[in-house]
Amino acid sequence: MISPAITSTRPRAAWTAALPVIAAGALIAYGLTSSGYIATVLGFAAIYGVFCTGLNFFMGYTGQASFGQNAFAALGGYGSAILTDRLGLEPVLAILASMSIAGIVALVVGYPTLRLRGHYLAMATFALGLITYEITIEWTSLTHGYMGYSGIPPLGLFGYELANEKQQLVALVVIALFGVWISNRLRNSRFGRALRAIAGSEAAAAALGINVARYKLAAFVIAALYASVAGSLFAHFIGFISPEVFGTAMVVLSFTMLYLGGIGTTWGPLVGALIASLIPEVLRSTLPGGLKEGQDIVYCAILILILIFVPKGLSSLGSLWQARRSAVREG
Amino acid sequence: MALLNVQGVTKRFGGLVANDSISFAVPEGSLFAVIGPNGAGKTTLFNAISGFFAPTSGRILFDGQDVTGLAQADIAQRGLIRTYQLVQLFKDMTVAENVQVGFHRMTSGNVGAALLRGAGFRRQEEHIREETRSLLTFVGLGNRADVMADTLPYGQQRLLEVARALAAQPRLLLLDEPAAGLNTQETDALADTILRINARGVTVVLIEHDMGLVMKVAQRIAVLDFGRKIAEGTPAEIRSDPAVIAAYLGTEAEHA
Ligand SMILES: Nc1ncnc2c1ncn2[C@@H]1O[C@H](COP(=O)(O)OP(=O)(O)OP(=O)(O)O)[C@@H](O)[C@H]1O
Ligand SMILES: [Mg+2]
């Protein structure tokens, strides 16, 4: 018997591969033809997309909780700021150097903490975020404290700078798509299956020879590398960072995005980042004058409604539609 | 030579002695069963052998080597694979993906291989897909490959766990009550499957309450009661063993 899934998988694969690229193209076009402000909003979304795609390795694929991923974004952001300012490094080199630092810190911090389970791990990662926040405030000679770091050079390569936010937006979207591409390749492999097995059952994963602690550590480090890149991109995109940029609010926002888009899916984090970034802007421009005050309430209501009616995240809508179509075809 | 040698294994939980100095040997290629009333310590014994936790005292030799206290994944990497009494499927994965995870031990490559996707990677993935198909057919789940694992009825979930364990090419396979939740027909099919697994050269240790199944497939049986081994022998010997009869009659009397 030929399973119906075999006949419906092939066309769907081509379709789902093309769709995001088309969507990204439309998005870039929208950003380029709109105001600089919209381009900035979309750039933020792409940066958060990178951050969440990384966090998804640890929280989605591997099923672990981390409340401290903002620490690695701060490392990336301050790394980029300090390395370009003090050492005069090219932004790209500063990003790569910050990534290596973030990766090493993740290894050193993750090795002991990932042996902890459940609440302890969550607490340990939360502490990591708080400690980093304190350091960025207190170590003023290096970080300028509350004042923050300004005048960070924009993205560029070989001395050529991307002059405005629209050029930078194109670069950010390309980088975000590259991040998702990596995530997709890793997910559908022996490595990704091991991570997802850990999310499903640590006991069963270990019984099949998977070194649970080592794979958790790998997912944690990958998430830290993405977070570091996101932090660096933020610094170069805006040109200014302060401790607040990488504060606890970042953690809350990234969780919202993950669940909104679909945690554990490949495209969910980017979709979630985009939707969560755009809703407030749409509200701002469409709500009538009297309702403007209640914008935050409307925003939260929309988020809650989405989470109630699409609990698996917005990126699950695509496959739902597919499933319904193939069901109709079979019936 | 014995593939598995359990020597004086004791496991205490606080004051409770769940395994009390248990010893037995499982010859390579044989089909061994561990039976006993509820709470006798059978699952605890599997947990100690497979490294889920270390025994309080005693030694476990696998293929002549001391594996006592090694991490569970390290023991599994040597080819000692177990299933769980309470099914432990990867719920967010399809039936086929569950089995694919089972190939972890016999395959290689991590981040680098997954990113580059060279010829070796693709050949390995193709091999995994083919073998997954044949394993699912082997346990009778051939037409369920693409459904989510947790949508399977309970009996089929157990079969999936067996298929996944087989993907790891065990030298020694520990099955903890694989027939629980199966109807008579399915149990007969399972008995046949277990015999075919054994015929492939896999040494099997089976925990089972279904006496029909045990008597049909096991070559040797150890009986546990209150954490102690009270008998060991062939099915015929066990059936007529006074201590075994007393243990089972005792529990039946308690339940009555
Ligand atoms: N992790 C644990 N902590 C404390 N006590 C435990 C633990 N695991 C098992 N026990 C106790 O050890 C004894 C043996 O349990 P075990 O699960 O090994 O029995 P079993 O023979 O597998 O029973 P069943 O046939 O019901 O599966 C029981 O009294 C049980 O309550
Ligand atoms: Mg048991």
Side-chain angles (χ1 to χ4, degrees), chain B residues 39-71:
Chain B
K42 306 179 294 294
T43 297
T44 302
L45 182 63
F46 267 21
N47 285 340
I49 294 172
S50 66
F52 186 79
F53 45 55
T56 310
S57 62
R59 290 207 314 162
I60 292 138
L61 303 184
F62 178 57
D63 198 20
Q65 291 184 317
D66 192 342
V67 296
T68 323
L70 288 189

PDB file of all heavy atoms in Angstrom, chain B residues 39-71:
ATOM      1  N   GLY B  39       5.879  -5.600  42.027  1.00  0.00           N
ATOM      2  CA  GLY B  39       6.731  -5.056  43.078  1.00  0.00           C
ATOM      3  C   GLY B  39       7.867  -5.970  43.486  1.00  0.00           C
ATOM      4  O   GLY B  39       8.555  -5.708  44.472  1.00  0.00           O
ATOM      5  N   ALA B  40       8.099  -7.041  42.726  1.00  0.00           N
ATOM      6  CA  ALA B  40       9.135  -8.007  43.101  1.00  0.00           C
ATOM      7  C   ALA B  40      10.536  -7.439  42.883  1.00  0.00           C
ATOM      8  O   ALA B  40      11.509  -7.943  43.459  1.00  0.00           O
ATOM      9  CB  ALA B  40       8.965  -9.293  42.301  1.00  0.00           C
ATOM     10  N   GLY B  41      10.661  -6.409  42.044  1.00  0.00           N
ATOM     11  CA  GLY B  41      11.981  -5.819  41.810  1.00  0.00           C
ATOM     12  C   GLY B  41      12.521  -6.051  40.415  1.00  0.00           C
ATOM     13  O   GLY B  41      13.706  -5.828  40.145  1.00  0.00           O
ATOM     14  N   LYS B  42      11.662  -6.451  39.491  1.00  0.00           N
ATOM     15  CA  LYS B  42      12.108  -6.766  38.127  1.00  0.00           C
ATOM     16  C   LYS B  42      12.594  -5.517  37.391  1.00  0.00           C
ATOM     17  O   LYS B  42      13.686  -5.507  36.809  1.00  0.00           O
ATOM     18  CB  LYS B  42      10.951  -7.422  37.340  1.00  0.00           C
ATOM     19  CG  LYS B  42      10.350  -8.628  38.041  1.00  0.00           C
ATOM     20  CD  LYS B  42       9.208  -9.242  37.259  1.00  0.00           C
ATOM     21  CE  LYS B  42       7.978  -8.357  37.123  1.00  0.00           C
ATOM     22  NZ  LYS B  42       7.290  -8.083  38.399  1.00  0.00           N
ATOM     23  N   THR B  43      11.765  -4.473  37.411  1.00  0.00           N
ATOM     24  CA  THR B  43      12.152  -3.247  36.712  1.00  0.00           C
ATOM     25  C   THR B  43      13.391  -2.628  37.360  1.00  0.00           C
ATOM     26  O   THR B  43      14.284  -2.129  36.669  1.00  0.00           O
ATOM     27  CB  THR B  43      10.981  -2.242  36.714  1.00  0.00           C
ATOM     28  OG1 THR B  43       9.894  -2.821  36.000  1.00  0.00           O
ATOM     29  CG2 THR B  43      11.367  -0.930  36.053  1.00  0.00           C
ATOM     30  N   THR B  44      13.445  -2.691  38.693  1.00  0.00           N
ATOM     31  CA  THR B  44      14.627  -2.186  39.397  1.00  0.00           C
ATOM     32  C   THR B  44      15.887  -2.896  38.898  1.00  0.00           C
ATOM     33  O   THR B  44      16.927  -2.262  38.678  1.00  0.00           O
ATOM     34  CB  THR B  44      14.459  -2.406  40.915  1.00  0.00           C
ATOM     35  OG1 THR B  44      13.281  -1.739  41.340  1.00  0.00           O
ATOM     36  CG2 THR B  44      15.655  -1.875  41.676  1.00  0.00           C
ATOM     37  N   LEU B  45      15.786  -4.202  38.698  1.00  0.00           N
ATOM     38  CA  LEU B  45      16.921  -4.972  38.206  1.00  0.00           C
ATOM     39  C   LEU B  45      17.347  -4.484  36.815  1.00  0.00           C
ATOM     40  O   LEU B  45      18.539  -4.290  36.550  1.00  0.00           O
ATOM     41  CB  LEU B  45      16.528  -6.459  38.157  1.00  0.00           C
ATOM     42  CG  LEU B  45      17.605  -7.436  37.718  1.00  0.00           C
ATOM     43  CD1 LEU B  45      18.763  -7.428  38.699  1.00  0.00           C
ATOM     44  CD2 LEU B  45      17.030  -8.841  37.594  1.00  0.00           C
ATOM     45  N   PHE B  46      16.376  -4.249  35.929  1.00  0.00           N
ATOM     46  CA  PHE B  46      16.687  -3.714  34.593  1.00  0.00           C
ATOM     47  C   PHE B  46      17.340  -2.336  34.706  1.00  0.00           C
ATOM     48  O   PHE B  46      18.269  -2.021  33.969  1.00  0.00           O
ATOM     49  CB  PHE B  46      15.407  -3.590  33.751  1.00  0.00           C
ATOM     50  CG  PHE B  46      15.120  -4.804  32.897  1.00  0.00           C
ATOM     51  CD1 PHE B  46      15.672  -6.035  33.209  1.00  0.00           C
ATOM     52  CD2 PHE B  46      14.301  -4.703  31.775  1.00  0.00           C
ATOM     53  CE1 PHE B  46      15.408  -7.147  32.424  1.00  0.00           C
ATOM     54  CE2 PHE B  46      14.035  -5.809  30.982  1.00  0.00           C
ATOM     55  CZ  PHE B  46      14.583  -7.022  31.306  1.00  0.00           C
ATOM     56  N   ASN B  47      16.823  -1.530  35.624  1.00  0.00           N
ATOM     57  CA  ASN B  47      17.398  -0.195  35.802  1.00  0.00           C
ATOM     58  C   ASN B  47      18.856  -0.280  36.232  1.00  0.00           C
ATOM     59  O   ASN B  47      19.690   0.510  35.776  1.00  0.00           O
ATOM     60  CB  ASN B  47      16.588   0.597  36.836  1.00  0.00           C
ATOM     61  CG  ASN B  47      15.262   1.096  36.276  1.00  0.00           C
ATOM     62  OD1 ASN B  47      15.092   1.178  35.053  1.00  0.00           O
ATOM     63  ND2 ASN B  47      14.327   1.403  37.144  1.00  0.00           N
ATOM     64  N   ALA B  48      19.153  -1.228  37.096  1.00  0.00           N
ATOM     65  CA  ALA B  48      20.534  -1.381  37.561  1.00  0.00           C
ATOM     66  C   ALA B  48      21.426  -1.921  36.447  1.00  0.00           C
ATOM     67  O   ALA B  48      22.544  -1.439  36.237  1.00  0.00           O
ATOM     68  CB  ALA B  48      20.578  -2.314  38.775  1.00  0.00           C
ATOM     69  N   ILE B  49      20.927  -2.896  35.681  1.00  0.00           N
ATOM     70  CA  ILE B  49      21.729  -3.485  34.604  1.00  0.00           C
ATOM     71  C   ILE B  49      22.007  -2.458  33.510  1.00  0.00           C
ATOM     72  O   ILE B  49      23.131  -2.347  33.009  1.00  0.00           O
ATOM     73  CB  ILE B  49      21.000  -4.714  33.992  1.00  0.00           C
ATOM     74  CG1 ILE B  49      20.880  -5.843  35.013  1.00  0.00           C
ATOM     75  CG2 ILE B  49      21.737  -5.199  32.745  1.00  0.00           C
ATOM     76  CD1 ILE B  49      20.000  -7.005  34.545  1.00  0.00           C
ATOM     77  N   SER B  50      20.985  -1.671  33.152  1.00  0.00           N
ATOM     78  CA  SER B  50      21.126  -0.751  32.012  1.00  0.00           C
ATOM     79  C   SER B  50      21.787   0.563  32.407  1.00  0.00           C
ATOM     80  O   SER B  50      22.013   1.421  31.557  1.00  0.00           O
ATOM     81  CB  SER B  50      19.747  -0.467  31.409  1.00  0.00           C
ATOM     82  OG  SER B  50      18.954   0.249  32.336  1.00  0.00           O
ATOM     83  N   GLY B  51      22.079   0.736  33.701  1.00  0.00           N
ATOM     84  CA  GLY B  51      22.759   1.965  34.124  1.00  0.00           C
ATOM     85  C   GLY B  51      21.816   3.134  34.338  1.00  0.00           C
ATOM     86  O   GLY B  51      22.254   4.266  34.468  1.00  0.00           O
ATOM     87  N   PHE B  52      20.505   2.868  34.364  1.00  0.00           N
ATOM     88  CA  PHE B  52      19.547   3.946  34.675  1.00  0.00           C
ATOM     89  C   PHE B  52      19.881   4.501  36.053  1.00  0.00           C
ATOM     90  O   PHE B  52      19.829   5.692  36.282  1.00  0.00           O
ATOM     91  CB  PHE B  52      18.121   3.398  34.626  1.00  0.00           C
ATOM     92  CG  PHE B  52      17.062   4.444  34.800  1.00  0.00           C
ATOM     93  CD1 PHE B  52      16.706   5.258  33.742  1.00  0.00           C
ATOM     94  CD2 PHE B  52      16.430   4.616  36.025  1.00  0.00           C
ATOM     95  CE1 PHE B  52      15.727   6.234  33.900  1.00  0.00           C
ATOM     96  CE2 PHE B  52      15.451   5.583  36.189  1.00  0.00           C
ATOM     97  CZ  PHE B  52      15.102   6.397  35.129  1.00  0.00           C
ATOM     98  N   PHE B  53      20.235   3.609  36.978  1.00  0.00           N
ATOM     99  CA  PHE B  53      20.912   4.003  38.214  1.00  0.00           C
ATOM    100  C   PHE B  53      21.910   2.915  38.569  1.00  0.00           C
ATOM    101  O   PHE B  53      21.849   1.804  38.032  1.00  0.00           O
ATOM    102  CB  PHE B  53      19.938   4.280  39.357  1.00  0.00           C
ATOM    103  CG  PHE B  53      18.822   3.285  39.561  1.00  0.00           C
ATOM    104  CD1 PHE B  53      19.084   1.927  39.735  1.00  0.00           C
ATOM    105  CD2 PHE B  53      17.501   3.714  39.597  1.00  0.00           C
ATOM    106  CE1 PHE B  53      18.062   1.026  39.946  1.00  0.00           C
ATOM    107  CE2 PHE B  53      16.468   2.814  39.798  1.00  0.00           C
ATOM    108  CZ  PHE B  53      16.750   1.464  39.970  1.00  0.00           C
ATOM    109  N   ALA B  54      22.848   3.237  39.435  1.00  0.00           N
ATOM    110  CA  ALA B  54      23.851   2.254  39.835  1.00  0.00           C
ATOM    111  C   ALA B  54      23.279   1.385  40.946  1.00  0.00           C
ATOM    112  O   ALA B  54      22.494   1.866  41.772  1.00  0.00           O
ATOM    113  CB  ALA B  54      25.116   2.955  40.310  1.00  0.00           C
ATOM    114  N   PRO B  55      23.618   0.096  40.988  1.00  0.00           N
ATOM    115  CA  PRO B  55      23.176  -0.723  42.111  1.00  0.00           C
ATOM    116  C   PRO B  55      23.870  -0.268  43.398  1.00  0.00           C
ATOM    117  O   PRO B  55      24.935   0.345  43.334  1.00  0.00           O
ATOM    118  CB  PRO B  55      23.614  -2.136  41.713  1.00  0.00           C
ATOM    119  CG  PRO B  55      24.717  -1.940  40.745  1.00  0.00           C
ATOM    120  CD  PRO B  55      24.441  -0.647  40.041  1.00  0.00           C
ATOM    121  N   THR B  56      23.252  -0.547  44.531  1.00  0.00           N
ATOM    122  CA  THR B  56      23.869  -0.191  45.804  1.00  0.00           C
ATOM    123  C   THR B  56      25.145  -1.015  45.999  1.00  0.00           C
ATOM    124  O   THR B  56      26.171  -0.497  46.439  1.00  0.00           O
ATOM    125  CB  THR B  56      22.894  -0.467  46.967  1.00  0.00           C
ATOM    126  OG1 THR B  56      21.638   0.139  46.646  1.00  0.00           O
ATOM    127  CG2 THR B  56      23.425   0.117  48.266  1.00  0.00           C
ATOM    128  N   SER B  57      25.084  -2.290  45.659  1.00  0.00           N
ATOM    129  CA  SER B  57      26.292  -3.117  45.657  1.00  0.00           C
ATOM    130  C   SER B  57      26.112  -4.237  44.642  1.00  0.00           C
ATOM    131  O   SER B  57      25.020  -4.446  44.119  1.00  0.00           O
ATOM    132  CB  SER B  57      26.569  -3.682  47.055  1.00  0.00           C
ATOM    133  OG  SER B  57      25.492  -4.505  47.447  1.00  0.00           O
ATOM    134  N   GLY B  58      27.194  -4.947  44.370  1.00  0.00           N
ATOM    135  CA  GLY B  58      27.150  -6.002  43.369  1.00  0.00           C
ATOM    136  C   GLY B  58      27.792  -5.541  42.071  1.00  0.00           C
ATOM    137  O   GLY B  58      28.165  -4.370  41.937  1.00  0.00           O
ATOM    138  N   ARG B  59      27.949  -6.483  41.136  1.00  0.00           N
ATOM    139  CA  ARG B  59      28.633  -6.155  39.879  1.00  0.00           C
ATOM    140  C   ARG B  59      27.814  -6.616  38.691  1.00  0.00           C
ATOM    141  O   ARG B  59      27.101  -7.618  38.754  1.00  0.00           O
ATOM    142  CB  ARG B  59      29.997  -6.850  39.828  1.00  0.00           C
ATOM    143  CG  ARG B  59      31.000  -6.267  40.807  1.00  0.00           C
ATOM    144  CD  ARG B  59      32.425  -6.486  40.308  1.00  0.00           C
ATOM    145  NE  ARG B  59      32.644  -7.858  39.842  1.00  0.00           N
ATOM    146  CZ  ARG B  59      33.671  -8.202  39.058  1.00  0.00           C
ATOM    147  NH1 ARG B  59      34.522  -7.285  38.637  1.00  0.00           N
ATOM    148  NH2 ARG B  59      33.833  -9.457  38.696  1.00  0.00           N
ATOM    149  N   ILE B  60      27.941  -5.885  37.588  1.00  0.00           N
ATOM    150  CA  ILE B  60      27.299  -6.281  36.337  1.00  0.00           C
ATOM    151  C   ILE B  60      28.374  -6.384  35.273  1.00  0.00           C
ATOM    152  O   ILE B  60      29.086  -5.406  34.995  1.00  0.00           O
ATOM    153  CB  ILE B  60      26.216  -5.268  35.924  1.00  0.00           C
ATOM    154  CG1 ILE B  60      25.047  -5.327  36.919  1.00  0.00           C
ATOM    155  CG2 ILE B  60      25.705  -5.560  34.531  1.00  0.00           C
ATOM    156  CD1 ILE B  60      24.527  -3.998  37.297  1.00  0.00           C
ATOM    157  N   LEU B  61      28.519  -7.586  34.709  1.00  0.00           N
ATOM    158  CA  LEU B  61      29.499  -7.777  33.643  1.00  0.00           C
ATOM    159  C   LEU B  61      28.744  -7.930  32.333  1.00  0.00           C
ATOM    160  O   LEU B  61      27.837  -8.758  32.227  1.00  0.00           O
ATOM    161  CB  LEU B  61      30.345  -9.029  33.890  1.00  0.00           C
ATOM    162  CG  LEU B  61      31.114  -9.098  35.210  1.00  0.00           C
ATOM    163  CD1 LEU B  61      31.984 -10.359  35.239  1.00  0.00           C
ATOM    164  CD2 LEU B  61      31.972  -7.869  35.395  1.00  0.00           C
ATOM    165  N   PHE B  62      29.132  -7.130  31.349  1.00  0.00           N
ATOM    166  CA  PHE B  62      28.538  -7.259  30.020  1.00  0.00           C
ATOM    167  C   PHE B  62      29.664  -7.631  29.073  1.00  0.00           C
ATOM    168  O   PHE B  62      30.665  -6.918  28.988  1.00  0.00           O
ATOM    169  CB  PHE B  62      27.860  -5.951  29.604  1.00  0.00           C
ATOM    170  CG  PHE B  62      27.256  -6.000  28.218  1.00  0.00           C
ATOM    171  CD1 PHE B  62      26.311  -6.958  27.898  1.00  0.00           C
ATOM    172  CD2 PHE B  62      27.643  -5.086  27.251  1.00  0.00           C
ATOM    173  CE1 PHE B  62      25.749  -7.005  26.626  1.00  0.00           C
ATOM    174  CE2 PHE B  62      27.085  -5.130  25.978  1.00  0.00           C
ATOM    175  CZ  PHE B  62      26.137  -6.092  25.667  1.00  0.00           C
ATOM    176  N   ASP B  63      29.515  -8.769  28.413  1.00  0.00           N
ATOM    177  CA  ASP B  63      30.552  -9.239  27.509  1.00  0.00           C
ATOM    178  C   ASP B  63      31.900  -9.320  28.230  1.00  0.00           C
ATOM    179  O   ASP B  63      32.943  -8.955  27.686  1.00  0.00           O
ATOM    180  CB  ASP B  63      30.654  -8.296  26.302  1.00  0.00           C
ATOM    181  CG  ASP B  63      31.374  -8.952  25.133  1.00  0.00           C
ATOM    182  OD1 ASP B  63      31.450 -10.204  25.117  1.00  0.00           O
ATOM    183  OD2 ASP B  63      31.851  -8.216  24.259  1.00  0.00           O
ATOM    184  N   GLY B  64      31.851  -9.749  29.480  1.00  0.00           N
ATOM    185  CA  GLY B  64      33.077  -9.939  30.249  1.00  0.00           C
ATOM    186  C   GLY B  64      33.638  -8.680  30.866  1.00  0.00           C
ATOM    187  O   GLY B  64      34.613  -8.729  31.619  1.00  0.00           O
ATOM    188  N   GLN B  65      33.043  -7.520  30.572  1.00  0.00           N
ATOM    189  CA  GLN B  65      33.583  -6.277  31.112  1.00  0.00           C
ATOM    190  C   GLN B  65      32.668  -5.706  32.184  1.00  0.00           C
ATOM    191  O   GLN B  65      31.445  -5.768  32.062  1.00  0.00           O
ATOM    192  CB  GLN B  65      33.761  -5.253  29.994  1.00  0.00           C
ATOM    193  CG  GLN B  65      34.874  -5.646  29.052  1.00  0.00           C
ATOM    194  CD  GLN B  65      35.106  -4.586  27.995  1.00  0.00           C
ATOM    195  OE1 GLN B  65      34.166  -4.044  27.435  1.00  0.00           O
ATOM    196  NE2 GLN B  65      36.375  -4.298  27.735  1.00  0.00           N
ATOM    197  N   ASP B  66      33.278  -5.145  33.207  1.00  0.00           N
ATOM    198  CA  ASP B  66      32.511  -4.567  34.309  1.00  0.00           C
ATOM    199  C   ASP B  66      31.882  -3.252  33.870  1.00  0.00           C
ATOM    200  O   ASP B  66      32.586  -2.298  33.555  1.00  0.00           O
ATOM    201  CB  ASP B  66      33.458  -4.337  35.502  1.00  0.00           C
ATOM    202  CG  ASP B  66      32.684  -4.026  36.775  1.00  0.00           C
ATOM    203  OD1 ASP B  66      31.501  -3.650  36.661  1.00  0.00           O
ATOM    204  OD2 ASP B  66      33.268  -4.167  37.863  1.00  0.00           O
ATOM    205  N   VAL B  67      30.566  -3.206  33.822  1.00  0.00           N
ATOM    206  CA  VAL B  67      29.890  -1.961  33.419  1.00  0.00           C
ATOM    207  C   VAL B  67      29.153  -1.320  34.601  1.00  0.00           C
ATOM    208  O   VAL B  67      28.408  -0.368  34.423  1.00  0.00           O
ATOM    209  CB  VAL B  67      28.894  -2.196  32.255  1.00  0.00           C
ATOM    210  CG1 VAL B  67      29.624  -2.653  31.013  1.00  0.00           C
ATOM    211  CG2 VAL B  67      27.812  -3.187  32.640  1.00  0.00           C
ATOM    212  N   THR B  68      29.381  -1.860  35.803  1.00  0.00           N
ATOM    213  CA  THR B  68      28.681  -1.336  36.980  1.00  0.00           C
ATOM    214  C   THR B  68      28.935   0.155  37.146  1.00  0.00           C
ATOM    215  O   THR B  68      30.094   0.588  37.143  1.00  0.00           O
ATOM    216  CB  THR B  68      29.169  -2.054  38.253  1.00  0.00           C
ATOM    217  OG1 THR B  68      29.420  -3.413  37.946  1.00  0.00           O
ATOM    218  CG2 THR B  68      28.152  -1.936  39.371  1.00  0.00           C
ATOM    219  N   GLY B  69      27.875   0.952  37.265  1.00  0.00           N
ATOM    220  CA  GLY B  69      28.029   2.365  37.561  1.00  0.00           C
ATOM    221  C   GLY B  69      28.392   3.227  36.361  1.00  0.00           C
ATOM    222  O   GLY B  69      28.545   4.429  36.504  1.00  0.00           O
ATOM    223  N   LEU B  70      28.536   2.639  35.171  1.00  0.00           N
ATOM    224  CA  LEU B  70      28.774   3.473  33.979  1.00  0.00           C
ATOM    225  C   LEU B  70      27.503   4.259  33.658  1.00  0.00           C
ATOM    226  O   LEU B  70      26.403   3.876  34.049  1.00  0.00           O
ATOM    227  CB  LEU B  70      29.123   2.602  32.771  1.00  0.00           C
ATOM    228  CG  LEU B  70      30.495   1.929  32.727  1.00  0.00           C
ATOM    229  CD1 LEU B  70      30.705   1.315  31.354  1.00  0.00           C
ATOM    230  CD2 LEU B  70      31.595   2.913  33.046  1.00  0.00           C
ATOM    231  N   ALA B  71      27.673   5.367  32.925  1.00  0.00           N
ATOM    232  CA  ALA B  71      26.505   6.141  32.499  1.00  0.00           C
ATOM    233  C   ALA B  71      25.655   5.285  31.558  1.00  0.00           C
ATOM    234  O   ALA B  71      26.180   4.463  30.807  1.00  0.00           O
ATOM    235  CB  ALA B  71      26.947   7.419  31.798  1.00  0.00           C
TER     236      ALA B  71
END
